[in-house]
Amino acid sequence: MNKKQKRTRNRIVLAIALFAVVYVIAELMPLATWLGSETAALWVEFALFLVPYLIAGYDVLLRAAKNIGHGQVFDENFLMSVATIGAFALVLFPDSDPHMAEGAAVMLFYQVGELFQSYAVGKSRKSIADMMDIAPDFANVERDGRLVQVDPYEVAVGDEIVVKAGERVPLDGVVVRGSSQLDTAALTGESVPREVREGDEIISGCVNMSGLITVRVTKPFGESTVSRILELVENAAEKKAKTENFITRFARYYTPAVVGIAALLAIVPPLLLGGGWSDWVQRGLIFLVVSCPCALVISVPLSFFGGIGGASRLGILVKGSNYLETLSRAETVVFDKTGTLTDGSFNVVAVHPASGIDPDRLLSIAAHAEAYSNHPIALSVRAAYSGPIDQQRIDDVQEQSGHGVRARVDEHVVYVGNDKLMSACGVDCRDCELTGTILHVSLDGEYIGHIVIADVVKPDAAEAVAALRAAGVKKTVMLTGDRADVAAAVAKELGIDEFRAQLLPQDKVAEVEKLLEETHAQGAGKGKLAFVGDGINDAPVLTRADIGIAMGAMGSDAAIEAADVVLMDDKPSNIARAIGIARKTMGIVWQNIVFALGVKFLVLILAALGIANMWLAVFADVGVAVIAILNAMRAMNVGKLK
């Protein structure tokens, strides 16, 4: 609770104490007997109740007056001011019962509700603001033989920074010296530390837990992971959901409408029926108290804000409540394969030598032939070979795009590549029963075996698909530029419903267009399509889908920029969790809407019929608001809800 909230709380406590004393005096002490006049006693009671009323509500009266001066008449300050002043003004009607106590009580309870609301909003904002703690204050740069703390914005790409134990990594980079463990919880929601050593990429925002590490900066601060996250979080509140916008528009028209109805209720019946002004004015005042829309205006945005905050603590960044609402209606989920469902790194999974050939020799020959290539397949072959690469053994390297490589190794002519390359050089190759990229190897025109290279499926990919199905997603589809047999094997392994293979980036957009039409047609426009990707070539598809989800930790900047939701830990299983959070948040939103409107309309009818009194009106306003706010606060822990 901040200082302003504490001052308000103390003022309300004082007003409540005074109200209790005045109420006891008014109810238990015979003021009329002491003063010798009913009229004098009534005005003394009026003055006594006016004190706690003004202490509690002077700021509401001032805000109402200022807003009227600025042309903003119909808001909750105006409603509370008119209703409570009207309750005090009933003392002017000789035939009416005094309602000063109710007028003061309405203002007191309204202020209690406002304080509670302020605390709830502050707590929800803190859950988002906690993300801001990932912003680094400085970076350690070595200058003139000593470490100097500089602003992260001043560090250039290529500079080396030192991160001590307990400090936050200020910029993205590569570890060049040292090893340590990093706490990534603030970014990914993962509690298990990540070990890093020389050569490992690290992202800003993590906390160095143990050793001293030196990092070569790879991105300026404005493009770093931590900077992108802060920008996403800061802008999230600006993009409102349709439900949230509807409530804002509803309140804009609802409030003046109920003020007009209250005025008609207070004036028309006495004019038409004659007499009874105090009774109908009282009904109009009760009508005003009940009609205050603060329960909706506060609880709905608070629910969305809480949902976004709860998701962010789990490493799921949602760029706005409109995306949270769309995500809750996802019925089709489309995946990119490489880097999304798979690690995106090729690995040698099998070495199959021809008869009489040693497996290590086969791998050695292939690794030397691929020594000068930067292709991911070549890199995976060299990584699998445990020995050193002797470049003096290699000569006359010719890379043949789309086929493989030709080289001289130890004065032998070596071909390493696909079956098309083998066919071109007149070598008969052997098929393999394993799924993956088959790298055939020939030595002086003789086939000596093949190497199987595959992109490894992420450990939780199958769990992610199963969780989506359990969450009610009707269809899962995988899009890939890989061969059909590889795509079929991955789809079967993960339980994906459909796949499309050998697609270029523009082909992916076309496929998503078709799937969008199917999804919208089946769901009568309500069902939505989500696309999950990580590469730069996924950016157009992420933009075209109803909701784009990007893998954030290792995903490209373009994909993260184009996406609506970013998964900071790159785990596919968090897709189902994100959808679950969105649906639970929307459930809380609609619970508040139905509850608040239902209670208010019921009590409004009772007020018009003269059945509801001012105390019931207080519950219909403040009580409903408090209950709705309490329910909205559940959204802050939506990731933990079952």
Side-chain angles (χ1 to χ4, degrees), residues 239-256 293 295-301 304 321-322 325 329 586 589-590 592-598 601:
K239 299 174 181 176
K240 295 186 177 182
K242 289 182 180 179
T243 309
E244 198 172 350
N245 284 324
F246 166 75
I247 292 301
T248 303
R249 291 194 303 271
F250 174 81
R252 189 179 302 146
Y253 297 105
Y254 163 86
T255 306
L296 285 176
V297 173
I298 293 300
S299 67
V300 171
F304 280 114
S321 56
N322 54 334
E325 185 176 42
R329 292 155 57 188
M586 288 306 302
V589 167
W590 282 106
N592 282 339
I593 291 174
V594 172
F595 172 71
L597 289 180
F601 284 137

Side-chain angles (χ1 to χ4, degrees), residues 218-422:
T218 56
K219 292 180 182 178
F221 182 73
E223 299 175 13
S224 65
T225 300
V226 67
S227 182
R228 292 204 312 266
I229 291 173
L230 294 177
E231 184 179 354
L232 293 180
V233 171
E234 288 166 352
N235 294 336
E238 297 177 5
K239 299 174 181 176
K240 295 186 177 182
K242 289 182 180 179
T243 309
E244 198 172 350
N245 284 324
F246 166 75
I247 292 301
T248 303
R249 291 194 303 271
F250 174 81
R252 189 179 302 146
Y253 297 105
Y254 163 86
T255 306
V258 295
V259 171
I261 294 171
L264 292 174
L265 188 64
I267 297 171
V268 173
L271 290 176
L272 295 179
L273 303 176
W277 279 93
S278 63
D279 178 52
W280 288 103
V281 168
Q282 183 181 344
R283 293 189 193 189
L285 294 175
I286 293 171
F287 200 90
L288 280 180
V289 174
V290 176
S291 64
C292 184
C294 54
L296 285 176
V297 173
I298 293 300
S299 67
V300 171
L302 182 62
S303 300
F304 280 114
F305 208 67
I308 292 172
S312 70
R313 290 199 299 273
L314 300 174
I316 302 168
L317 301 184
V318 183
K319 293 185 179 181
S321 56
N322 54 334
Y323 302 124
L324 201 68
E325 185 176 42
T326 304
L327 186 61
S328 71
R329 292 155 57 188
E331 292 184 356
T332 301
V333 177
V334 182
F335 299 93
D336 169 58
K337 181 180 78 71
T338 306
T340 301
L341 294 173
T342 65
D343 285 331
S345 58
F346 290 95
N347 296 287
V348 173
V349 295
V351 178
H352 293 164
S355 178
I357 302 296
D358 183 70
D360 289 337
R361 183 165 183 251
L362 173 63
L363 196 56
S364 173
I365 291 171
H368 279 81
E370 298 276 17
Y372 293 102
S373 175
N374 289 321
H375 192 281
I377 290 177
L379 297 176
S380 66
V381 171
R382 296 206 301 270
Y385 176 57
S386 57
I389 300 293
D390 185 356
Q391 295 183 352
Q392 294 182 355
R393 296 171 56 191
I394 310 164
D395 189 22
D396 191 22
V397 178
Q398 299 175 18
E399 193 160 353
Q400 301 182 24
S401 179
H403 292 79
V405 66
R406 176 195 182 278
R408 293 182 68 85
V409 179
D410 295 332
E411 300 302 323
H412 296 286
V413 178
V414 176
Y415 283 91
V416 181
N418 57 24
D419 53 358
K420 293 179 181 178
L421 180 64
M422 294 296 108

Side-chain angles (χ1 to χ4, degrees), residues 413-622:
V413 178
V414 176
Y415 283 91
V416 181
N418 57 24
D419 53 358
K420 293 179 181 178
L421 180 64
M422 294 296 108
S423 177
C425 64
V427 175
D428 292 329
C429 58
R430 193 180 77 194
D431 290 334
C432 183
E433 71 280 2
L434 298 180
T435 301
T437 300
I438 310 301
L439 206 62
H440 300 282
V441 184
S442 74
L443 182 68
D444 292 332
E446 295 292 329
Y447 185 70
I448 62 172
H450 58 258
I451 300 167
V452 183
I453 298 171
D455 188 8
V456 179
V457 171
K458 289 185 177 179
D460 67 331
E463 173 194 339
V465 176
L468 286 171
R469 191 168 286 110
V473 171
K474 296 179 180 178
K475 181 191 288 187
T476 53
V477 183
M478 183 180 71
L479 306 182
T480 179
D482 216 333
R483 300 195 325 270
D485 59 335
V486 175
V490 173
K492 183 178 180 181
E493 180 182 351
L494 300 182
I496 291 174
D497 298 322
E498 301 176 11
F499 70 89
R500 314 280 192 275
Q502 296 177 304
L503 300 176
L504 296 173
Q506 59 267 31
D507 298 329
K508 289 184 179 180
V509 175
E511 290 295 335
V512 166
E513 293 277 4
K514 295 176 186 176
L515 291 166
L516 277 168
E517 290 181 9
E518 293 176 14
T519 303
H520 295 168
Q522 292 171 359
K526 295 182 179 180
K528 299 299 180 182
L529 180 143
F531 179 83
V532 190
D534 75 312
I536 190 168
N537 60 341
D538 293 327
V541 199
L542 287 165
T543 304
R544 182 62 192 91
D546 291 320
I547 190 83
I549 303 174
M551 297 293 178
M554 301 303 292
S556 74
D557 291 349
I560 294 172
E561 184 69 26
D564 309 311
V565 179
V566 180
L567 306 181
M568 290 308 301
D569 61 0
D570 280 359
K571 286 187 176 180
S573 56
N574 268 343
I575 300 167
R577 178 178 269 186
I579 292 174
I581 288 173
R583 289 179 177 173
K584 288 170 185 173
T585 301
M586 288 306 302
I588 291 172
V589 167
W590 282 106
Q591 288 166 15
N592 282 339
I593 291 174
V594 172
F595 172 71
L597 289 180
V599 173
K600 281 186 179 293
F601 284 137
L602 175 62
V603 181
L604 284 174
I605 294 170
L606 295 177
L609 297 174
I611 299 173
N613 58 23
M614 193 68 79
W615 295 109
L616 184 57
V618 170
F619 168 75
D621 175 41
V622 180

Side-chain angles (χ1 to χ4, degrees), residues 34 58 117 128 133 138 203 215-216 252 284 304 329 376 415 458 485 521-522 531 540:
W34 290 357
Y58 75 88
Q117 163 199 313
I128 293 287
D133 290 340
F138 60 86
I203 56 177
V215 179
R216 181 181 296 112
R252 189 179 302 146
F304 280 114
R329 292 155 57 188
Y415 283 91
K458 289 185 177 179
D485 59 335
Q522 292 171 359
F531 179 83

